[in-house]
Amino acid sequence: MLERLESLRADALQRVADATGMEELRAVERDFLGKEGALAEILAAIPTLPAEERRDTGRGANELKGDILEAIGARKSSLEESEVARLRDAGGFDPTLPPAAPQRGGLHPITQVRREVESIFSSMGYEVLDGPEVELDYYNFQALNIPKDHPSREVQDTFYCDEAHTLVMRTQTSPVQIRAMERLSPPFRLIAPGRVFRNEEQDATHEHTFHQVEGLVVGEDIQVGHLTWTLRRLLNELFERELEVRLRPGYFPFVEPGFEFDVRCPFCEEGCRVCSNTTWIEFCGCGMVHPSVLAAGFEGRDDVDVDSLTGFAFGFGLDRLVMMRFGVDDIRNLMGGDLRFLEQFPC
Ligand code: DAH
């Protein structure tokens, strides 16, 4: 038996030495050390051996197993080393290079600009509020002084969520004004950024889903001057310089008087694509909160004297601001989910 072990050893080590790849090494392991391999056969035969041979045969078999495994391990390392050397010398592969960095996500450009806007308003003492995206018709329209059949409902083509048209995908962030009045005690200042939805044709400047930032300030003696100061402050912070602004009369049912607030194009002096060659950019709708809106929002509040209150409100499109900030020319890129687009705004 011991001679048999010696001849197995010679065979095994020869095959290991001749191996030129992992497959062959695995085969040696299988043939000699596997469940049905040569060594298993020997071990199985031990009980049939004369007593004086058993111990040496068992020990010899174990030693051989260790030696074969060791030889396989050593051969494996040397094959790997020569493979690396071969690839390195062939060029194109440098095993000393660090591995590719894992892909990291970043903040969406809309989130980046929204956070910037939030931080500017927070520094002026504003709260940042949220509101539901699926909204009651009451908050989205009625309480904002837009009764059923009012023509301005047609301007904001609406996705209705039920047959009775009591639930809508909110078409604007203005409903948060009413929700805030129901909960807060004046004086207060707030902004409400969020997603809004309109059922309209899509093109480079129109999306069915976009983002607005609503603003509302309610207190005593709030005037138009407070409104313009606040919006100028926002724009100066965003564009890091003083920009000319103007108010034009504008109609929104929930403010009186209502305005369109324009800002001088920050990108040109004589007209460009961003300002449609007018040098002015329509920044937002705004105005003094309509008394009917204050009445609806504070209805039933014994602790609030509505008649002593005034307020201003504004609402601007966040997507447009993002497009201006980053020079994006098609709004559909923003929510398109294409990484090749999004990766251009690392942060
Ligand atoms: N909600 C209006 C819109 O979506 C924008 C707006 C205009 C908001 C005037 C206001 C405002 O708060 O006072 O077109």
Side-chain angles (χ1 to χ4, degrees):
M1 226 10 139
L2 291 178
E3 287 122 62
R4 168 98 177 106
L5 278 176
E6 277 320 301
S7 93
L8 280 181
R9 170 186 300 275
D11 284 355
L13 297 184
Q14 189 59 52
R15 277 183 57 188
V16 170
D18 292 345
T20 54
M22 298 304 153
E23 195 45 50
E24 286 161 74
L25 286 177
R26 272 191 292 274
V28 177
E29 198 170 338
R30 193 177 55 236
D31 294 347
F32 291 86
L33 309 178
K35 239 194 253 159
E36 287 164 19
L39 268 184
E41 248 168 59
I42 290 182
L43 290 172
I46 288 180
T48 67
L49 295 177
E52 64 278 12
E53 277 185 36
R54 286 184 202 161
R55 209 187 51 181
D56 287 348
T57 308
R59 187 185 289 157
N62 271 333
E63 263 176 31
L64 178 54
K65 179 177 176 190
D67 292 347
I68 295 176
L69 282 176
E70 199 177 306
I72 288 178
R75 182 70 187 140
K76 198 168 149 191
S77 309
S78 93
L79 283 175
E80 275 168 0
E81 265 167 43
S82 49
E83 177 66 2
V84 168
R86 188 184 68 76
L87 287 169
R88 185 185 51 224
D89 297 343
F93 174 70
D94 180 351
T96 64
L97 276 181
Q103 275 209 324
R104 268 187 75 197
L107 293 178
H108 192 283
I110 293 177
T111 306
Q112 295 180 32
V113 176
R114 173 174 57 73
R115 289 193 176 182
E116 203 177 326
V117 168
E118 287 175 0
S119 113
I120 293 168
F121 277 106
S122 299
S123 78
M124 293 193 273
Y126 281 61
E127 273 186 79
V128 181
L129 293 195
D130 222 351
E133 294 178 343
V134 176
E135 186 54 285
L136 287 164
D137 178 279
Y138 171 77
Y139 289 104
N140 195 78
F141 292 122
Q142 286 176 52
L144 289 167
N145 208 20
I146 315 176
K148 286 224 152 77
D149 305 322
H150 192 280
S152 75
R153 288 203 181 204
E154 283 162 26
V155 186
Q156 302 187 2
D157 294 310
T158 310
F159 289 115
Y160 288 96
C161 301
D162 61 345
E163 293 284 334
H165 289 195
T166 49
L167 271 184
V168 304
M169 299 301 290
R170 67 175 177 187
T171 60
Q172 48 186 353
T173 44
S174 306
V176 184
Q177 291 190 30
I178 305 296
R179 291 185 173 275
M181 289 180 208
E182 288 180 348
R183 281 201 309 119
L184 305 179
S185 295
F188 57 75
R189 314 163 208 193
L190 62 93
I191 57 165
R195 281 204 297 186
V196 300
F197 311 86
R198 291 195 195 168
N199 185 5
E200 54 188 10
E201 290 290 324
Q202 307 200 61
D203 59 31
T205 54
H206 295 90
E207 250 287 25
H208 52 68
T209 300
F210 55 104
H211 301 75
Q212 291 186 334
V213 178
E214 194 75 15
L216 175 67
V217 172
V218 175
E220 292 183 3
D221 294 323
I222 304 293
Q223 303 152 19
V224 174
H226 298 127
L227 167 63
T228 49
W229 184 89
T230 305
L231 292 175
R232 288 179 63 173
R233 172 81 195 271
L234 168 68
L235 291 165
N236 292 348
E237 295 275 335
L238 283 174
F239 293 100
E240 293 176 334
R241 73 199 133 110
E242 187 94 18
L243 290 168
E244 197 185 350
V245 299
R246 73 178 181 193
L247 282 184
R248 289 178 293 124
Y251 174 68
F252 302 96
F254 31 90
V255 282
E256 181 59 39
F259 308 106
E260 301 273 1
F261 186 93
D262 299 342
V263 58
R264 257 310 174 204
C265 180
F267 306 108
C268 71
E269 306 221 314
E270 265 118 42
C272 67
R273 216 164 35 100
V274 181
C275 59
S276 312
N277 286 318
T278 62
T279 75
W280 289 101
I281 290 176
E282 288 182 16
F283 180 64
C284 73
C286 58
M288 302 307 293
V289 182
H290 196 291
S292 308
V293 173
L294 290 172
F298 292 113
E299 196 187 331
R301 289 279 297 266
D302 300 335
D303 57 324
V304 178
D305 174 15
V306 184
D307 295 333
S308 71
L309 296 174
T310 50
F312 69 73
F314 57 84
F316 61 85
L318 193 55
D319 310 75
R320 253 263 269 183
L321 206 53
V322 173
M323 291 165 77
M324 281 162 67
R325 167 55 67 88
F326 294 117
V328 175
D329 59 6
D330 192 323
I331 191 173
R332 290 167 295 191
N333 283 323
L334 292 178
M335 300 302 279
D338 189 333
L339 285 179
R340 291 168 303 176
F341 171 77
L342 295 171
E343 279 166 359
Q344 296 174 50
F345 312 96
C347 71

